[in-house]
Amino acid sequence: MAKITLKDLSHSYLTKQSNDADWALRGVDIDWKDGGAYALLGPSGCGKTTLLNIISGLLKPTKGKILFDDKDITALNPVERDIAQIFQFPVIYDTMTVYDNLAFPLKNRGLSKTEIDTKVKEIGEMLELTSTLNNKAAGLTADGKQKISLGRGLVRSDVNVIMFDEPLTVIDPHLKWVLRSKLKELHQKINRTMIYVTHDQIEALTFADEVVVMHEGQIVQTGTPVELFEKPKHTFVGHFIGSPGMNILPCEIVNGQINFEGKILPNSTNIIKTNFSKTQVGIRPEFINFSNEGIEVKIKRVSDTGRHKVIDTECSSGSIKILANASAEIPSDSAYITFDQKYTYVYGDDWIIE
Ligand code: ATP
């Protein structure tokens, strides 16, 4: 197990770079504690796999350093780094039994038969593979095979870190949550540093103690699921996390206050710097209330999700989504709304102004 530090990592697949878009990763700084559960979250193309491949040693970064327990390992090859990596699609030996698949990484490391047997049975039990240990892997379903892949990564105790690259892609939706909670439970049991890469916010938020949100090759925020939800530091985090995502609308800063729709919004920030090319107000649908006064909106549509109602409204600055209890009375035509001051944020050029 190891503490992992990434220092000012940048990577470009091009030989020459002239602008930000030429970089797949830009200025990534990370400190991951030994034994922590982390997720890298972001949409397709944001640089997650590039970062994972740099940590595993498959890619050499254009700039920056990787340290395991404060030791610079940037020049080491993948084998020397002692990492277990689990990919999107199962990597197993079909002709071997489930037992032999799990035992394989341990045999390679010269563990005794008894040690191997103990470990294989322990991991087999954790992943509920005990009854299939003597079956050929070929006969298993896709999720059974992926469980073996997970087991092959988890069975080794000599690894610095276990990395999962979208490991639940091939799993049936109804089984996803089973494996997701299993992984969380396994992390608590074996207490190794784990990095989980995904574009799925639910997977990231349920697995990790700390989530790193990536956007266009940059880290836009690192935080606990609650921090990312309650205080997005970048408009992208607001959009990407939450369902529906945060409402982000143009506003003006007048004398240090937020002017939205011709009204001053209550806000706890003292806004000093104002030379942004764009300023926006951000409020999550959960933190908007109907009121007798405030911002006037037109009700466009009400969708009932069972537990909640999602109300699509419109004002002259754009559309605003509101989340209300399923039992709430919703005005039918126009209404006034207010924003909860505690969760009203202002963004200058997409970054939170604090
Ligand atoms: P996905 O979830 O689709 O795999 P990702 O977040 O893992 O996306 P990366 O695969 O790391 O993102 O890609 C980051 C950027 O680097 C993208 O713009 C991608 O097109 C580019 N890229 C990735 N691999 C290569 C490569 N081998 N050569 C050139 N460009 C690449």
Side-chain angles (χ1 to χ4, degrees), residues 13 24 43-50 166:
Y13 291 96
S44 183
C46 72
K48 304 181 297 293
T49 304
T50 303
E166 310 247 8

Side-chain angles (χ1 to χ4, degrees), residues 5-9 61 63-67 72 74:
T5 314
L6 307 180
K7 274 200 179 150
D8 201 19
L9 274 188
K63 288 187 205 164
K65 283 184 189 167
I66 308 123
L67 295 96
D72 188 346
T74 320

Side-chain angles (χ1 to χ4, degrees), residues 251-270:
C251 70
E252 281 177 23
I253 308 296
V254 181
N255 298 329
Q257 292 184 298
I258 311 172
N259 186 330
F260 176 66
E261 291 274 298
K263 294 197 161 54
I264 298 296
L265 288 186
N267 161 271
S268 25
T269 316
N270 183 20

